[in-house]
Amino acid sequence: MNENAFHVAIIGGGIGGLTLAQGLTKAGINVSVYERDQAPDARRQGFRVHIDPEGSNALHECLPGRLWEIFDATGGDLGHGFTFMTEHLRELLAVRRDREAAIDDVARHRSISRITLRHVLLNGLERRTYFGKRFLHYEESTDGRFHIHFADGSSARADVLVGADGVNSGVRKQYLPNADPVDTGVLALGGKVPLSAGVMALVPASLLDGPVMVMPPSPCSLFMAMWKRSSRAQEPLRRLGIEEPIAGDEDYLILGFGARPEYLAVNGDAGVVSGAAIKDAMRHVVASWHSNLRKLVELAEEETMTATNLRTSLRQEAWKTTAITLLGDAIHSMTPYRGIGANIALRDAALLCAKLREVEEDRKPLLAAIGEYEEAMRGYGFAAVEASRKAMEQAVGTRNKPAFGMFK
């Protein structure tokens, strides 16, 4: 194989996979993305995401200048605090960041719509991204290349295979079959409340300055955050060809509950629980809470509601380096309680891109470059996994009940 003229196949078109594809394209490296969704808008892309300075740096490194400018201009209004409150909306603790006046324009915190970010990341990759490609398995050919098979009967060939296909990664299941995430025993319920003057009158004032975590004495938590697009974002969106508001991307309030399934009174497979059942579970949790919180639950839209059994990866020892590697949730899936999963995936993408660029420039052998990426990724990635799990346990009390009580 001519190492400075190789083809990279990325399985999974989420934030990490598409960011890597943008960076490799920017570096002149041949890349293709294979995504199981039938189309870019085939499913909802979840709630707003917090991009921290490290994630911002990663996107800046990987995106071409034009797309970076659009990304930077299409964010939401950003608060600078995080508040803990009781279920009766009494403030327990308020953390405030400086307003970042002295920080450069790149390395800062941002509130971003996942839907808009997907449009940004797909821009320019239309001929490199293939939808409706559910990964089945790969085979290694005698020439060292990979033959990748998809459920629709098609296949592809590549010199480097990157699994960026999320917590249920098919690439990981074949490549590292003992590295599957484990169930944490915690169920997350989420939903959106459209922002209106009436809703704004119900939310605590501290929510205007950043997310709020409601911490009742019971073993559960409620995360609240607003997505409100900045008034300066419309013109940059037109540069992506978006003239009208994107469905599901209107201003909204996020409600995210976390607890054990038995406490939430939700039984069975979380993936098939109806919106009506999820709303009933939310009502059950907030029955004795502040009346404003009960009203917000009633205003939440059932069609936006989701239920997810939270899983987490376990730290993995070093594995033999090959031309197959993994990034993001495919290898270090974490709970949402630190809000850093997307940023760690972005860090993976930028680091792997930099290492593959060294190969393309004939400065490093391929396996050495991938090995350096994996060594670094295991360090910061699994540290983030463990910090996120600890934060979850503090919030919902899955273990160590005395420590849970002290934290509350």
Side-chain angles (χ1 to χ4, degrees), residues 142-206:
T142 55
D143 61 1
R145 304 187 77 208
F146 298 103
H147 195 190
I148 308 160
H149 299 270
F150 302 101
D152 63 359
S154 64
S155 63
R157 291 174 64 81
D159 302 297
V160 178
L161 175 60
V162 179
D165 45 344
V167 64
N168 296 312
S169 170
V171 178
R172 182 197 65 241
K173 288 178 185 296
Q174 181 176 353
Y175 187 54
L176 299 176
N178 297 319
D180 281 0
V182 297
D183 191 354
T184 64
V186 173
L187 181 66
L189 306 180
K192 295 179 182 179
V193 181
L195 279 188
S196 65
V199 169
M200 294 300 293
L202 294 173
V203 302
S206 55

Side-chain angles (χ1 to χ4, degrees), residues 222-242:
L222 166 62
F223 174 81
M224 297 192 294
M226 287 193 297
W227 162 252
K228 195 172 188 302
R229 193 181 296 284
S230 172
S231 57
R232 67 189 180 100
Q234 192 54 50
E235 181 54 37
L237 286 173
R238 291 194 182 96
R239 292 161 60 188
L240 287 176
I242 300 171

Side-chain angles (χ1 to χ4, degrees), residues 103-166:
I103 297 179
D104 65 67
D105 289 339
V106 173
R108 62 181 179 84
H109 295 269
R110 291 173 165 84
S111 178
I112 299 296
S113 160
R114 285 182 184 269
I115 295 173
T116 302
L117 180 56
R118 188 170 175 83
H119 280 272
V120 171
L121 292 176
L122 281 169
N123 193 267
L125 296 179
E126 293 85 357
R127 295 184 178 181
R128 298 177 182 270
T129 304
Y130 301 89
F131 288 94
K133 299 297 180 182
R134 184 168 66 85
F135 172 86
L136 285 183
H137 68 277
Y138 65 82
E139 299 172 332
E140 187 169 2
S141 304
T142 55
D143 61 1
R145 304 187 77 208
F146 298 103
H147 195 190
I148 308 160
H149 299 270
F150 302 101
D152 63 359
S154 64
S155 63
R157 291 174 64 81
D159 302 297
V160 178
L161 175 60
V162 179
D165 45 344

Side-chain angles (χ1 to χ4, degrees), residues 292-330:
N292 285 13
L293 295 176
R294 298 200 302 271
K295 290 174 184 176
L296 289 173
V297 167
E298 293 303 324
L299 292 169
E301 299 176 319
E302 290 183 9
E303 61 270 24
T304 69
M305 292 184 172
T306 59
T308 307
N309 292 112
L310 296 184
R311 290 184 288 163
T312 186
S313 295
L314 301 176
R315 184 178 286 272
Q316 300 296 309
E317 298 299 325
W319 54 84
K320 181 182 178 181
T321 298
T322 71
I324 302 173
T325 194
L326 302 156
L327 67 77
D329 283 348

Side-chain angles (χ1 to χ4, degrees), residues 32-51:
S32 299
V33 180
Y34 301 94
E35 166 58 43
R36 65 186 176 190
D37 286 351
Q38 293 298 316
D41 56 355
R43 60 186 170 94
R44 293 181 182 272
Q45 291 301 312
F47 305 126
R48 78 94 169 96
V49 60
H50 166 233
I51 304 295

Side-chain angles (χ1 to χ4, degrees), residues 189-191 266 270 273-283 302 305-307:
L189 306 180
V266 174
V273 177
S274 68
I278 294 171
K279 193 164 189 174
D280 281 343
M282 291 180 176
R283 289 187 182 112
E302 290 183 9
M305 292 184 172
T306 59

